[in-house]
Amino acid sequence: MNITYRYQSAREQYARLGVDADAAMEKLLQTPISLHCWQGDDVQGFEGSACLDGGIQATGDYPGRAKTPRELMADMEFALNLIPGRHRINLHASYAVFTDTPVDRDKLEPRHFAPWVQFAKRLGVGIDFNPTFFAHPKAAKATLSSEDEDTRAFWIRHGVACLRISEYFARELGTPCTMNIWIPDGFKDTPADRTAPRARLKDSLDQILSCGYNRELVRVTVESKVFGIGLESYTVGSQEFYLNYAAKNNLLCLLDSGHFHPTEMVADKLSSMLLFQDQVALHVSRPVRWDSDHVVIFDDTVRQIAREIAIAGPQRVILALDFFDASINRIAAWVIGMRSMQKALLEAYLTPFDTLARLQDQRDFTQLLMLQEELKTYPLGDVWDYFCQENAVPVREDWYSKVKGYEQDVLSKRESQHC
Ligand code: RNT
Ligand code: ZN
């Protein structure tokens, strides 16, 4: 049936609930999501590193991994063309492009990211950034919390270098850069001293931030984690550590949906955090039994997160995805993750919150439960299809044949190689 016709019918059904479907689609256009480059190459980067460490892991050996800047950029562009709306891209320091002699991470300069700026300018997107505190010989034991002063100084220099690069992105592209700090430091077994590593992390962050960066251009976020592989008993950068550090230093917290105890809901944290902070940043991910970084799908966790974003207003939540699945077509992984997040946001923007909140205030929990359940079968898909059509991207599963074509023409011709 005709997409426009279906949309008109859906629009009427939502209007009866007091929901404006046109406004919901407009809001969705105003909700950029930062597309993480690292799904395209299993978090390998361009430094020739063979294996991932730091307690994170990409499993699978699907052919066609991007191995060069040119390939990764082409793949990201291909994916972005199948995702409605204008988004951002999210880079790691390990994706520096060396045209002359490579330098170590503490010597990185803006010029090493010039090709990314050119790429972002051509696509009309902003760039977000992440220092890379893993997959490096000096990260084998610890980074910003290291007991070895030379190692710690190296990573502090890396943090400062990344602030300069983030300023450069923001200046060049005319949009603030979110720079997210995540470190893998922690212990496999019960630590003797929980305090000293955290005190060193605090001091390292103080030193990085005191370099005098431009806070208008760069929004620093700090990402906590409850555990990682080989770091089961203790992580230095815990939630309490960063919540307090961010509050004291006027930074933002970044919540990754895979970084909490399995029954904790990130969605439930947003309303509390946003009463005390202007903004919160998110890494939307999908943990399956552990922080496995599966592709984001339209599940209850993501739908609840989307609801909180809709209630708070999209400008208060800095949204990025974070997953790396090497067992499926990597471009499809990006497209599925982004489109699923967008569907969840659209559903949230189409929800009659005022009515639901009134029922809650009236303590009419029967009607509230009834309406929440009935809403689940409202014609979200009709609005979504129309949104895709209007934004000139394939409707429903039509995007998949394009990815398959690209796989045949481009990805399958790449040499296979995995660690
Ligand atoms: C790791 C963190 C971190 C990384 C990326 C690559 O558990 O989630 O954000 O996934 O920076
Ligand atoms: Zn993350």
Side-chain angles (χ1 to χ4, degrees):
M1 210 202 295
N2 179 293
I3 292 169
T4 310
Y5 179 82
R6 279 201 282 117
Y7 173 64
Q8 275 158 1
S9 158
R11 194 168 174 264
E12 271 171 36
Q13 295 172 61
Y14 283 109
R16 262 180 256 136
L17 292 170
V19 171
D20 180 343
D22 292 333
M25 288 192 298
E26 190 48 43
K27 255 197 196 164
L28 188 56
L29 271 185
Q30 308 300 326
T31 315
I33 306 170
S34 206
L35 181 75
H36 55 312
C37 75
W38 52 93
Q39 163 59 49
D41 76 332
D42 315 339
V43 211
Q44 301 267 297
F46 303 140
E47 297 169 329
S49 117
C51 290
L52 194 51
D53 62 13
I56 56 178
Q57 213 168 65
T59 58
D61 59 355
Y62 199 87
R65 178 175 84 78
K67 286 183 223 69
T68 63
R70 191 190 291 265
E71 288 175 354
L72 187 58
M73 287 178 205
D75 292 359
M76 291 178 86
E77 184 171 0
F78 196 88
L80 284 168
N81 284 331
L82 301 174
I83 298 160
R86 179 159 302 189
H87 298 281
R88 303 175 61 82
I89 58 172
N90 205 357
L91 303 179
H92 247 283
S94 51
Y95 292 79
V97 181
F98 300 118
T99 43
D100 44 26
T101 330
V103 299
D104 208 344
R105 296 220 188 129
D106 64 330
K107 303 254 162 25
L108 285 170
E109 291 174 42
R111 69 190 171 92
H112 298 121
F113 291 85
W116 282 110
V117 165
Q118 268 172 16
F119 174 70
K121 280 186 179 165
R122 187 163 62 71
L123 266 52
V125 300
I127 297 185
D128 298 311
F129 198 50
N130 303 260
T132 310
F133 295 104
F134 53 85
H136 187 282
K138 286 199 165 65
K141 296 192 179 102
T143 62
L144 293 178
S145 77
S146 178
E147 58 282 359
D148 178 80
E149 281 303 303
D150 288 345
T151 304
R152 195 160 76 88
F154 173 87
W155 290 112
I156 291 169
R157 289 196 300 277
H158 177 57
V160 173
C162 287
L163 280 172
R164 298 291 170 236
I165 295 161
S166 301
E167 288 178 322
Y168 159 74
F169 288 144
R171 267 198 199 99
E172 288 289 322
L173 300 168
T175 165
C177 173
T178 297
M179 190 189 98
N180 177 53
I181 297 177
W182 172 73
I183 61 162
D185 301 16
F187 297 116
K188 181 183 178 76
D189 223 324
T190 314
D193 180 355
R194 290 183 160 90
T195 307
R198 289 186 176 136
R200 286 192 292 265
L201 173 58
K202 180 168 178 280
D203 177 72
S204 299
L205 292 171
D206 289 348
Q207 288 194 47
I208 293 172
L209 298 170
S210 67
C211 75
Y213 72 100
N214 182 329
R215 282 182 173 250
E216 301 288 308
L217 297 178
V218 183
R219 296 182 296 206
V220 173
T221 62
V222 281
E223 179 181 11
S224 69
K225 184 162 180 172
V226 71
F227 76 97
I229 296 181
L231 314 160
E232 289 84 359
S233 300
Y234 167 91
T235 54
V236 184
S238 62
Q239 171 68 357
E240 292 71 21
F241 177 91
Y242 282 130
L243 198 55
N244 285 289
Y245 192 87
K248 268 222 149 137
N249 295 280
N250 201 16
L251 307 179
L252 298 177
C253 280
L254 183 145
L255 308 180
D256 181 309
S257 42
H259 287 194
F260 295 88
H261 292 286
T263 54
E264 259 181 293
M265 298 256 302
V266 161
D268 191 45
K269 299 173 189 298
L270 297 177
S271 50
S272 300
M273 303 211 29
L274 287 170
L275 284 178
F276 301 96
Q277 304 222 338
D278 290 341
Q279 289 181 305
V280 173
L282 289 182
H283 270 181
V284 183
S285 190
R286 179 162 54 107
V288 178
R289 304 196 188 280
W290 66 289
D291 180 34
S292 59
D293 292 286
H294 277 65
V295 177
V296 165
I297 56 172
F298 181 78
D299 60 9
D300 283 353
T301 304
V302 173
R303 293 167 69 212
Q304 291 296 325
I305 288 173
R307 264 197 177 206
E308 294 303 317
I309 296 174
I311 291 167
Q315 67 297 336
R316 296 193 67 197
V317 181
I318 300 169
L319 198 49
L321 304 187
D322 182 13
F323 51 78
F324 24 99
D325 189 336
S327 73
I328 58 175
N329 181 301
R330 295 170 183 80
I331 294 169
W334 269 322
V335 179
I336 292 167
M338 291 287 275
R339 287 174 65 124
S340 299
M341 185 72 234
Q342 287 185 293
K343 272 183 230 167
L345 288 163
L346 182 61
E347 181 189 50
Y349 295 150
L350 288 167
T351 301
F353 286 119
D354 296 348
T355 309
L356 298 178
R358 188 169 29 81
L359 291 173
Q360 177 176 307
D361 286 348
Q362 290 166 349
R363 306 189 77 78
D364 188 347
F365 299 124
T366 312
Q367 202 181 153
L368 179 57
L369 183 62
M370 178 283 296
L371 189 52
Q372 301 217 76
E373 286 307 293
E374 290 302 330
L375 284 169
K376 286 182 178 169
T377 47
Y378 265 64
L380 167 65
D382 293 345
V383 183
W384 169 248
D385 291 350
Y386 183 73
F387 183 76
C388 289
Q389 175 185 272
E390 291 305 288
N391 287 284
V393 299
V395 172
R396 291 193 178 172
E397 59 272 25
D398 285 357
W399 62 266
Y400 183 69
S401 57
K402 304 208 184 294
V403 171
K404 262 326 230 192
Y406 186 78
E407 180 173 296
Q408 260 139 36
D409 299 342
V410 181
L411 302 182
S412 68
K413 310 221 159 92
R414 292 179 187 164
E415 266 172 61
S416 72
Q417 172 218 71
H418 61 95
C419 75

